[in-house]
Amino acid sequence: MKVLKFGGTSVANAQNIKLVMSIVMNQSLNQQLIVVVSAFSKVTDMLQLASQKAAAGDENYKTILAEIEKNHLEVLRELIPVQNQSGLLSQIKRIINHLETLLDGCYLLGELSARTSDTILSFGELLSSFIISEGMQQIIPNSGYKDSRELIKTNADFGKATVNFEVTNKQINLFFESNEKQVVVMPGFIAASLDGINTTLGRGGSDYTAAILAGALDVQELEIWTDVNGMFTANPKIVKQAKPIAFISYQEAMELSHFGAKVLYPPTIQPVLRKNIPILIKNTFEPEAEGTYISNQFITTSNPVKGITHIDKITLITLEGSGMIGVSGSSKRLFEVLSHHKINVIFITQASSEHSICIGILNSDAAVAEDAINAAFEVEIIQNKVNPCIVEQNLCIIAIVGENMKNHQGLSGRMFSTLGKNNVNIRAIAQGASERNISAVINERDVKKALNSLHENFFEENTKQLNLFVMGVGNVGEKFIEQIQHQKKFLKEKLKINLRVIALSNSRKMYFDEDGISLKDWQFALETGEPCNQEQFITQVKELNLRNSIFVDITANESVSKTYEQYLKHNIAVVTCNKIACASEYDNYKKLKKLSRQFNAPFLFETNVGAGLPIIDTVKNLVASGDKVNKIQAVLSGSLNFIFNNFDENNTFHDVVKEAGVQGFTEPDPKIDLSGIDVARKILILIRESGYKMEIDEITNESFMPAECLDTTNNEAFFKSLQTHAAHFESIYKEALIKESRLKYVAQFEDGKANVGLRFIPKDHPFYNLEGKDNIVLFFTNRYVHQPLLIKGAGAGAAVTASGIFADVIRIGNI
């Protein structure tokens, strides 16, 4: 014999019930079955709401009742042939009329007792089991119905009654000894007191009903049929990468179900555990899926953690004070008062100093608990021996669970390190002596991030998911996205980094997709987005609160650079090619670096100098290894180098600058490059990264541009001024020819002073043969005295800049 239980989603409608009937029919060919069913999906919630509205004098309870009646009649009509419907429809209406009488009574009396509530809630299972039993008889003639209330007996603790197993087991065995039906359909969740009053077994109690029957009859197996493929390594609605658990022990399953794994009602395991009856959790909608097998057998695997789970809507109450130290009975008094008010304690931890006790309870019990505890310790509070209890709400308990965790060192360190890296603040910690679970209380808003980061660490072969929020999708941004798309598979397979672009924004539109934007048609997706709003963009990034979040700034916008602080403070890494932040006031630069360390949020800006060249990284390594930078000489503008390498007697200065813009070497406003401010920012960043304090206005900028050119207000006027002053630029070029030199825009730092300007470079200088858009940097340090450390390569262009940004993102993935 087997017991099969089908949950609310499995019996939500006629179509689903037909699947249930097919499963039952196939299994009934070889053995007797007991089929326990829940109320139709959402019906128990509707009954509860209707009863509350009725007691509150709200006539809308009648609308809810009408909807309940309509749903059940529709299902019956679809399951039962027309010629057999008449009597059954009348029976449904009689049940509904009885329910209506009870609700009318609540409305007239203006109250809802726990006893009445149990009776009203029982109608969900009574209706569903009646309809399903009648439907079952259409395909399995040798099937019948039995009211669970006649077999399962409890005390009169309405709402969550305690089963009297001595009487219940006797009643169950007496009935099934004489039962000749191949299939017996029974309602779950409901029972009756010894004097015949309706009681319920707690929300989710249909599982418990099935387990009570299975334990009493010592059946071969208990099957729980639901809408998922078993118990998962985490809640699949929150953790998309969660996987079904094939085998799990009773103890592990109890821990997971206690900590919120809603596939299984926590008390379910007890009746079958005593008899070593295995539980199989299956998916009604994918019956061929393996499911989860729960037994007393412990399966050893390489991963000691079986699952990660959580309980939400938790309140943390802390009782503390010097008057508790060394005083026996403080804990007893605390838990007695909670027990007296029927408040379930979910989480307990106590400081070894005995100075404080911390408990976790449901939010709904918080107000009662606070008043009761303060009343119980009123004398000590008045004497300042104990403080009034501290109440913290909007919290959540997360736990990692595994039978074999006790045999592995470092799991708690691994758990807390993962949470710490993602800036998840831990309010309290508990670990039982069995070492079967490690629990922590965290802020409710961090649950998704915490579960996903822990699951990634323990279950995803060390694959790290990076969630990117990209602002700026111009030339460089397009190349960056293109590179991600091209390398995505390689990164996942070789480096165990899974890149997802969650948001994109340009100056007009922004688009978010929490599951990741498809990079094949990202332009279309962006155009369908909402109007760009920088503050709203930041708000959405914060609200998503995803693990390993990275804000990628591919703009040259000053206002965007001022938002970095907000990201870093929320543990969101910043990768940027925008030089403005790091070249702003020294105090702001230092503050951003400090925030990065404080909130464990990387702040990387390799592309600020030299596009994709490893210049800043090299400086960091020199300083970190104890070397000191004494002097820097550099050509740091790929755009200016391109311009002066191509400016000759055949190409006017105006035409070359135009071409540099077309090829994407200059900023959208070319004055930023030609004024020298861009080079000044770059050398300033290198000076600061070398360990020196300097402001931008301390750098001497020797401009070669006429003031009239720099004073223009738009690109059209600027290019016109270049033509007007063509003779000026030609004279500079001719002077270089006379001196047998080349024109290079050079930045230099030495003896605490820095300058940038156009220089005539002789043939014997390392900068002379610098071609195209290349950059070159010479570092003179304590170790590199006579022969400087030289870095040379392409220093401009969308592709190389994008690759530098990409490299910074990968650096974060490897941290």
Side-chain angles (χ1 to χ4, degrees), residues 112-300:
L112 176 66
S113 67
R115 172 174 168 172
T116 303
S117 178
D118 267 9
T119 299
I120 290 172
L121 294 182
S122 70
F123 278 84
E125 273 71 16
L126 289 174
L127 285 164
S128 67
S129 58
F130 170 73
I131 292 170
I132 292 167
S133 172
E134 293 297 330
M136 202 76 72
Q137 289 177 43
Q138 305 301 312
I139 60 169
I140 307 173
N142 189 23
S143 64
Y145 174 82
K146 183 64 178 175
D147 190 334
S148 302
R149 294 174 296 181
E150 297 174 13
L151 304 182
I152 300 177
K153 298 299 177 179
T154 71
N155 64 6
D157 188 2
F158 300 105
K160 195 174 183 181
T162 300
V163 176
N164 183 327
F165 279 98
E166 183 180 351
V167 175
T168 297
N169 288 346
K170 183 178 178 182
Q171 296 277 78
I172 291 170
N173 278 285
L174 277 173
F175 172 75
F176 282 99
E177 279 173 7
S178 59
N179 171 61
E180 295 181 355
K181 299 291 184 182
Q182 191 70 7
V183 175
V184 177
V185 177
M186 298 179 66
F189 177 58
I190 62 175
S193 63
L194 292 173
D195 53 357
I197 306 301
N198 287 336
T199 59
T200 61
L201 302 177
R203 293 299 295 268
S206 292
D207 286 354
Y208 195 25
T209 302
I212 292 166
L213 293 164
L217 297 169
D218 201 5
V219 301
Q220 171 192 345
E221 189 174 79
L222 166 61
E223 293 183 2
I224 306 289
W225 290 80
T226 181
D227 58 354
V228 291
N229 293 334
M231 298 188 85
F232 277 65
T233 50
N235 185 339
K237 292 179 181 177
I238 299 175
V239 180
K240 303 296 184 186
Q241 290 78 25
K243 309 165 187 173
I245 304 169
F247 298 96
I248 192 169
S249 70
Y250 289 127
Q251 289 76 17
E252 289 169 327
M254 283 194 343
E255 293 283 356
L256 286 173
S257 60
H258 171 70
F259 278 93
K262 294 180 174 59
V263 171
L264 194 64
Y265 181 55
T268 299
I269 296 167
Q270 289 295 347
V272 294
L273 174 60
R274 300 188 192 102
K275 300 285 186 74
N276 286 333
I277 298 168
I279 303 172
L280 182 59
I281 300 176
K282 296 278 284 180
N283 188 343
T284 304
F285 309 101
E286 290 184 45
E288 70 286 350
E290 188 176 1
T292 297
Y293 190 79
I294 306 170
S295 71
N296 62 350
Q297 294 181 351
F298 173 65
I299 310 294
T300 303

Side-chain angles (χ1 to χ4, degrees), residues 624-687:
S625 67
D627 203 355
K628 182 183 179 184
V629 177
N630 301 312
K631 178 180 176 182
I632 304 172
Q633 285 185 321
V635 173
L636 295 173
S637 174
S639 54
L640 285 174
N641 199 45
F642 174 86
I643 289 167
F644 286 112
N645 279 335
N646 289 279
F647 174 39
D648 54 28
E649 60 274 6
N650 300 316
N651 298 287
T652 67
F653 191 75
H654 166 275
D655 291 346
V656 175
V657 174
K658 272 275 192 185
E659 181 61 25
V662 170
Q663 295 199 26
F665 297 151
T666 65
E667 299 288 350
D669 179 1
K671 287 200 299 293
I672 294 173
D673 298 282
L674 292 166
S675 68
I677 186 62
D678 189 58
V679 176
R681 286 171 177 162
K682 290 176 180 178
I683 191 67
L684 177 65
I685 293 167
L686 289 183
I687 292 166

Side-chain angles (χ1 to χ4, degrees), residues 522-593:
W522 65 267
Q523 291 99 332
F524 173 78
L526 181 57
E527 285 304 311
T528 65
E530 57 190 300
C532 179
N533 181 302
Q534 207 170 109
E535 285 304 314
Q536 187 60 36
F537 189 92
I538 295 169
T539 299
Q540 288 197 48
V541 175
K542 290 178 186 176
E543 287 178 351
L544 284 172
N545 197 25
L546 300 177
R547 69 197 188 281
N548 306 323
S549 291
I550 305 173
F551 173 64
V552 183
D553 178 14
I554 316 180
T555 73
N557 190 300
E558 183 174 2
S559 66
V560 176
S561 73
K562 290 179 179 178
T563 65
Y564 298 169
E565 180 179 342
Q566 296 186 60
Y567 290 108
L568 295 172
K569 281 183 176 178
H570 283 80
N571 185 237
I572 298 164
V574 174
V575 169
T576 179
C577 62
N578 187 341
K579 294 174 278 291
I580 295 175
C582 289
S584 63
E585 296 80 6
Y586 182 79
D587 288 344
N588 185 58
Y589 160 80
K590 292 299 287 185
K591 180 172 71 173
L592 294 175
K593 303 274 278 191

